[in-house]
Amino acid sequence: MHTLNVLALAVAVSAGLEPKDCGSEHPSGTVSASPNTSGVNGGDFVNYMPHNATSESCCKVLEVAGLGDRLLFPGQEAYNERVQSYWSEAAQLNSTCIIQPRDSKEVAKIVTTLAQANSTYPCKFAVRSGGHITWAGGSNIEDGVTVDLGYLNSTVYHAGNSTAAIGPGARWLSVYKTLDAQNIAVGGGRAGTVGVGGLLLGGGNSFYAGRKGMACDNVANFEVVLSSGDIIDVNNQTNSDLFSALKGGNNNFGIVTRFDLMAFEATKLWGGAVVYPNDTTPAQLKALKNFGDKIESDPYGSAIGIWQYTTQLGATIVLNAYDYTKAEVAPPAYDEFLAIPGNISSSMRLTNMSDLTEELEQPAGYRDSFITLTFKNDIRMFEKAIDMHNSYVEKIKSSAATGNWTLQDMFQPLPALFAKHSVEKGGNMLGLDRFNETLVLWQTYLAWHEPSQDALFQSFGNAFIAELREYAVSIGADNPFIYLDYAYKTQDPLASYGKKNYEHIKAMAEKYDPLGVFQTMVPGGFKISKAGQPIRE
Ligand SMILES: Cc1cc2nc3c(=O)[nH]c(=O)nc-3n(C[C@H](O)[C@H](O)[C@H](O)COP(=O)(O)OP(=O)(O)OC[C@H]3O[C@@H](n4cnc5c(N)ncnc54)[C@H](O)[C@@H]3O)c2cc1C
Ligand SMILES: *[C@@H]1O[C@H](CO)[C@@H](O)[C@H](O)[C@H]1NC(C)=O
Ligand SMILES: *[C@@H]1O[C@H](CO)[C@@H](O)[C@H](O)[C@H]1NC(C)=O
Ligand SMILES: *[C@@H]1O[C@H](CO)[C@@H](O)[C@H](O)[C@H]1NC(C)=O
Ligand SMILES: *[C@@H]1O[C@H](CO)[C@@H](O)[C@H](O)[C@H]1NC(C)=O
Ligand SMILES: *[C@@H]1O[C@H](CO)[C@@H](O)[C@H](O)[C@H]1NC(C)=O
Ligand SMILES: *[C@@H]1O[C@H](CO)[C@@H](O)[C@H](O)[C@H]1NC(C)=O
Ligand SMILES: *[C@@H]1O[C@H](CO)[C@@H](O)[C@H](O)[C@H]1NC(C)=O
Ligand SMILES: *[C@@H]1O[C@H](CO)[C@@H](O)[C@H](O)[C@H]1NC(C)=O
Ligand SMILES: *[C@@H]1O[C@H](CO)[C@@H](O)[C@H](O)[C@H]1NC(C)=O
Ligand SMILES: *[C@@H]1O[C@H](CO)[C@@H](O)[C@H](O)[C@H]1NC(C)=O
Ligand SMILES: *[C@@H]1O[C@H](CO)[C@@H](O)[C@H](O)[C@H]1NC(C)=O
Ligand SMILES: CC(=O)N[C@H]1CO[C@H](CO)[C@@H](O)[C@@H]1O
């Protein structure tokens, strides 16, 4: 069916089981290590007053609040399944408990219960939607509660106002399957299992970006649970100051429990993946650079260029994803690519979104790391980046790396047009409107198996980005933007958004979460209170 065994060899990313920044002290013997969850309301809680801050007590408090049947604990099969459903094995932490709310009222109860308990037993928690952030602790936690939004996964199309109400825990494939059947489309993720919540709160590059802006720009309304327990709507009329902040501002304000996405009529797309041998690289780089410059003249087109080395293949292949959001075969936008001879395989066809996003799936089963950079659409950057891809393959090969691993490097054009749509739709936090030229979004993606090699692989990712950035600066092709959805935890996307947006995120976090629950109790994600000085521009 899908030809993408090549992508299926691939993988993904992030790492870092470095010292946890979320650790609370371990229980001092005052709490049961495995709470008995069968008594929903935890009748023995009165006998259970730990003297010390422990994450067990935070789970217990949720039970006392009447949420016992929403809790999962280590040892339970359902608990293990949820831990294993994080895409990157590096992110599969065993939290003290997982709580799975069924609606926004339960989310509100969880947040207020934990916030209140925190004055007695410091409570930390994580917020998880699709679980695709690659690094450990981004949407999970070791000593604390994981708030798992997996049950908030419905997609309902409202014809009356052309919006699709989508739960944060939905995966994009389920969104597209529901909407394709009604001939309706939305801009969103390009791989089926990616979650709705994280992608939209970080921006969201999609096949439709040239026509509609980033996926987040198409949110008409967010339903948000604040730390006060209030459940608010956020749109361009109501709580409108928070509206743009949520588009790129990650989990700094509250928990989003529903996204109403602007929808439009679906058509078939011409899309697929074309695999070429490594020796077509020079022609590929030119074609990609020129494609980026031309999206303005044909916004229906998108292209992703991927250089992928896997130990299984023992060679680098070039995999291009071409996706044209109109039912037209081989439109002129792709002429230069289509003139490159010698492809190994091609799955180009007219089809629907569900089918395309199933194809672009990347397999789980590795420890993964994404790390990112943005630079100008300058051919020298493309050439340098691929020289570096080749040299890092050799460096990793001659290192202590063992087992199967992947180094995948990816280019995506970011034309100024994307930001024009963002501005028209109320603005987002990414700050791409500061730039009036075509940029390139770069991702280095490493995948490996051995937990003991997390630091080794991450060091290659870090060094790669540092060296590429240094080169960009040296030729004046650098750009400060760091894409949050691809950022490693040591990167600083919020500061990269520019001073104005940084200040806005800060002000909105203080206004909507005055006690700082999401700053002090939710260590995962990118925190405005921990961001560095914003770049001036
Ligand atoms: C295989 C693969 C394909 C990808 N494809 C694309 C793509 O096509 N385009 C693109 O732009 N990106 C893409 N990404 C990157 C993706 O956008 C990020 O990994 C994103 O974080 C995934 O969202 P999630 O809900 O699965 O993540 P999670 O790991 O669940 O969450 C990520 C972050 O968002 C926070 N968060 C999640 N939900 C909420 C919520 N409801 N309220 C408050 N905070 C929340 C979490 O606390 C965490 O900090 C891809 C990633 C992978 C691994
Ligand atoms: C857990 O609590 C239930 C109900 O109170 C009780 O029947 C059961 O025996 C307890 N199980 C354990 C392992 O303590
Ligand atoms: C989580 O628990 C499972 C099952 O006990 C175990 O195999 C795994 O190593 C644990 N993971 C971490 C990161 O501790
Ligand atoms: C939503 O999640 C539940 C629980 O995991 C699952 O049974 C259901 O199939 C999911 N629905 C969709 C549309 O994915
Ligand atoms: C769209 O309509 C539905 C159904 O009437 C409603 O629930 C929803 O709030 C509306 N969404 C927006 C963004 O107006
Ligand atoms: C989408 O395309 C796939 C592949 O052709 C097909 O199996 C599926 O039925 C289509 N879905 C819809 C809703 O048309
Ligand atoms: C406000 O949002 C509505 C619904 O998404 C949209 O129709 C309208 O154009 C927006 N107004 C402005 C000024 O952006
Ligand atoms: C890919 O091609 C480059 C030259 O463009 C070469 O240096 C490199 O060794 C090749 N890599 C692999 C893994 O085939
Ligand atoms: C791939 O190669 C085949 C065989 O040469 C050719 O017919 C086809 O057009 C090529 N496809 C693309 C997308 O370049
Ligand atoms: C690497 O992958 C190949 C192909 O899937 C497999 O045969 C081999 O056993 C793997 N090697 C290791 C060390 O896991
Ligand atoms: C882009 O912006 C720079 C700096 O603001 C300015 O010097 C340049 O003329 C602009 N270029 C275009 C094509 O608008
Ligand atoms: C939660 O407790 C910790 C530890 O006492 C404290 O530093 C933090 O400010 C508290 N946060 C809130 C929102 O109460
Ligand atoms: C009552 C109790 O167990 N108190 C302990 C709490 O933790 C601190 C520091 O770990 C110990 O010093 C106390 O004895």
Side-chain angles (χ1 to χ4, degrees):
M1 160 186 57
H2 305 299
T3 57
L4 270 242
N5 290 333
V6 184
L7 256 194
L9 294 175
V11 193
V13 168
S14 168
L17 291 181
E18 275 140 53
K20 31 185 159 155
D21 46 3
C22 49
S24 56
E25 307 91 292
H26 279 278
S28 55
T30 49
V31 279
S32 143
S34 16
N36 181 348
T37 54
S38 38
V40 169
N41 280 337
D44 59 343
F45 183 66
V46 282
N47 301 322
Y48 176 91
M49 291 298 281
H51 295 92
N52 272 345
T54 69
S55 39
E56 274 86 352
S57 52
C58 302
C59 298
K60 196 75 187 175
V61 158
L62 291 167
E63 206 175 319
V64 171
L67 292 161
D69 56 356
R70 303 299 190 238
L71 282 164
L72 301 175
F73 288 94
Q76 294 179 330
E77 199 178 315
Y79 174 96
N80 292 337
E81 277 170 18
R82 290 312 285 168
V83 172
Q84 285 156 18
S85 71
Y86 283 84
W87 181 71
S88 164
E89 288 186 350
Q92 296 177 359
L93 303 180
N94 294 311
S95 59
T96 314
C97 60
I98 295 172
I99 187 148
Q100 300 188 293
R102 302 295 204 271
D103 59 32
S104 50
K105 287 203 187 78
E106 291 186 359
V107 173
K109 193 164 199 180
I110 292 165
V111 173
T112 52
T113 301
L114 292 175
Q116 201 183 0
N118 186 63
S119 53
T120 319
Y121 334 109
C123 286
K124 303 247 170 162
F125 63 102
V127 181
R128 179 249 160 110
S129 285
H132 270 53
I133 198 166
T134 53
W135 44 274
S139 59
N140 200 352
I141 191 161
E142 210 146 63
D143 278 312
V145 177
T146 296
V147 181
D148 174 0
L149 303 172
Y151 277 95
L152 305 186
N153 63 351
S154 63
T155 300
V156 178
Y157 175 61
H158 294 295
N161 53 20
S162 302
T163 62
I166 306 175
R171 312 300 187 109
W172 287 103
L173 179 60
S174 82
V175 173
Y176 299 139
K177 278 190 165 163
T178 304
L179 297 181
D180 276 344
Q182 300 171 69
N183 267 315
I184 294 297
V186 293
R190 297 162 299 187
T193 59
V194 176
V196 166
L199 182 132
L200 287 176
L201 292 171
N205 200 3
S206 91
F207 298 145
Y208 292 96
R211 291 168 54 199
K212 309 281 178 184
M214 299 297 275
C216 67
D217 296 318
N218 297 288
V219 178
N221 179 66
F222 297 88
E223 181 188 75
V224 186
V225 170
L226 300 178
S227 54
S228 60
D230 289 344
I231 302 172
I232 62 169
D233 280 316
V234 178
N235 53 55
N236 63 16
Q237 306 293 317
T238 307
N239 298 305
S240 59
D241 52 356
L242 186 55
F243 188 47
S244 63
L246 284 163
K247 303 178 195 174
N250 195 212
N251 61 13
N252 280 285
F253 322 101
I255 298 181
V256 177
T257 45
R258 198 187 71 234
F259 298 88
D260 294 325
L261 271 190
M262 298 174 202
F264 47 97
E265 198 184 321
T267 62
K268 288 263 155 62
L269 300 85
W270 184 66
V274 187
V275 178
Y276 304 84
N278 178 40
D279 65 8
T280 61
T281 291
Q284 304 285 358
L285 297 179
K286 283 199 201 79
L288 260 175
K289 188 241 179 276
N290 293 335
F291 188 87
D293 283 333
K294 286 187 306 205
I295 294 179
E296 308 267 346
S297 58
D298 186 353
Y300 286 81
S302 74
I304 309 174
I306 298 172
W307 271 252
Q308 184 188 75
Y309 176 88
T310 57
T311 48
Q312 288 92 332
L313 200 62
T316 289
I317 48 103
V318 183
L319 189 155
N320 289 346
Y322 306 134
D323 292 280
Y324 196 68
T325 63
K326 198 194 270 185
E328 185 181 334
V329 172
Y334 295 94
D335 281 353
E336 192 173 348
F337 284 121
L338 298 181
I340 300 172
N343 71 67
I344 298 165
S345 70
S346 167
S347 68
M348 295 305 299
R349 63 207 184 279
L350 285 173
T351 188
N352 57 37
M353 273 297 280
S354 322
D355 191 35
L356 289 171
T357 52
E358 261 181 305
E359 178 180 31
L360 285 181
E361 197 52 77
Q362 310 226 23
Y366 290 82
R367 308 177 77 78
D368 304 301
S369 174
F370 286 173
I371 188 163
T372 187
L373 192 67
T374 305
F375 43 77
K376 293 184 181 174
N377 195 34
D378 180 321
I379 194 72
R380 293 170 297 174
M381 289 306 303
F382 286 75
E383 289 163 358
K384 173 70 177 179
I386 295 310
D387 282 351
M388 284 181 57
H389 169 87
N390 293 325
S391 68
Y392 274 76
V393 165
E394 297 308 320
K395 283 183 196 185
I396 300 172
K397 273 194 206 164
S398 55
S399 76
T402 57
N404 288 316
W405 53 269
T406 297
L407 172 64
Q408 176 173 299
D409 285 299
M410 181 163 88
F411 299 94
Q412 296 177 54
L414 277 185
L417 179 63
F418 289 10
K420 284 187 199 140
H421 293 304
S422 306
V423 171
E424 279 161 24
K425 292 177 174 174
N428 66 35
M429 290 295 101
L430 277 53
L432 292 170
D433 53 323
R434 290 170 292 169
F435 314 116
N436 58 4
E437 62 192 325
T438 303
L439 299 172
V440 181
L441 175 60
W442 170 263
Q443 183 197 76
T444 288
Y445 161 28
L446 284 151
W448 65 97
H449 283 299
E450 276 301 314
S452 64
Q453 298 198 325
D454 287 354
L456 175 71
F457 277 95
Q458 190 59 46
S459 73
F460 287 118
N462 296 347
F464 196 121
I465 291 300
E467 187 181 338
L468 189 57
R469 173 157 167 73
E470 197 179 324
Y471 178 75
V473 169
S474 77
I475 64 164
D478 56 307
N479 180 276
F481 177 65
I482 295 295
Y483 182 40
L484 188 144
D485 280 340
Y486 292 171
Y488 182 56
K489 66 179 175 184
T490 53
Q491 299 192 285
D492 197 350
L494 302 180
S496 88
Y497 292 170
K499 194 165 187 340
K500 180 167 62 85
N501 293 335
Y502 167 94
E503 297 293 355
H504 187 59
I505 292 172
K506 192 159 179 283
M508 291 303 101
E510 281 162 9
K511 175 175 174 184
Y512 286 93
D513 178 22
L515 298 176
V517 166
F518 289 93
Q519 301 305 312
T520 62
M521 294 174 61
V522 182
F526 294 95
K527 300 284 114 162
I528 193 65
S529 55
K530 300 235 167 76
Q533 280 305 303
I535 60 119
R536 294 230 45 99
E537 202 177 347

